Amino acid sequence: QVQLVESGGGLVQAGGSLRLSCVASGRTFRNYAMGWFRQAPGKEREFVSGISAITGSTYYADSVKGRFTISRDNDKNTLYVQMNVLKPEDTAVYFCAARRAVQFVTSASAYDYWGQGTQVTVSS
C-alpha cells in the first residue's frame, strides 16, 4: 500500500510559477512509475506528465511541454513538478499517482494509487 500526499498548490497570477510536491509512504517508491494528472471543473482527468522508475525518463502533455518539469527524489520518496509560465487554463486540481510498474503511461486507469489532490488557480 502506498499513500500519496500532494502539496504546493495555490493562487498565482498568469506567468507565475509553482512547484508541487507529492510525498509517498513506504520504502518502494523508487520502484513505481509516477504521474501528475489534473482535473478542471466539468472536465475529465487528464495526464500532465510522467516519470519512469529506474531510468527517470519523462514525458509531457503537449499543453505543458516546455513549461513544466517533472522530477523525483527517491531518497526522499518525493515527486515534484515545477510549473512555470502558468496560464489560466492550467487551473485545476492536480493529482499525483503511482503505478506498480517501471514505465509510466498516460491513462489514469493504469495507476494504482492516488493522492487527494491540490488546487492550482491561475488568475488572468
Side-chain angles (χ1 to χ4, degrees):
Q1 188 76 10
V2 174
Q3 293 185 327
L4 304 172
V5 179
E6 303 98 333
S7 63
L11 174 64
V12 64
Q13 289 188 331
S17 298
L18 284 174
R19 187 176 81 155
L20 305 184
S21 300
C22 171
V23 179
S25 65
R27 293 177 290 179
T28 58
F29 174 76
R30 64 180 65 248
N31 297 330
Y32 287 80
M34 301 296 296
W36 285 102
F37 291 78
R38 67 186 181 187
Q39 188 165 18
K43 295 188 176 181
E44 292 186 354
R45 190 167 299 189
E46 66 171 353
F47 173 83
V48 174
S49 183
I51 186 166
S52 66
I54 311 301
T55 65
S57 62
T58 60
Y59 182 78
Y60 300 91
D62 287 343
S63 58
V64 306
K65 198 172 296 181
R67 300 188 297 121
F68 289 15
T69 303
I70 190 172
S71 61
R72 64 191 299 163
D73 185 333
N74 290 333
D75 292 334
K76 294 182 179 179
N77 279 15
T78 304
L79 176 73
Y80 304 98
V81 62
Q82 176 68 43
M83 307 187 296
N84 298 327
V85 195
L86 283 161
K87 305 175 181 180
E89 51 264 44
D90 294 319
T91 295
V93 177
Y94 283 71
F95 300 87
C96 68
R99 182 170 187 252
R100 288 193 301 261
V102 171
Q103 185 60 40
F104 61 84
V105 294
T106 60
S107 173
S109 63
Y111 287 78
D112 302 291
Y113 305 103
W114 291 84
Q116 83 288 350
T118 186
Q119 176 71 47
V120 171
T121 303
V122 184
S123 63
S124 58

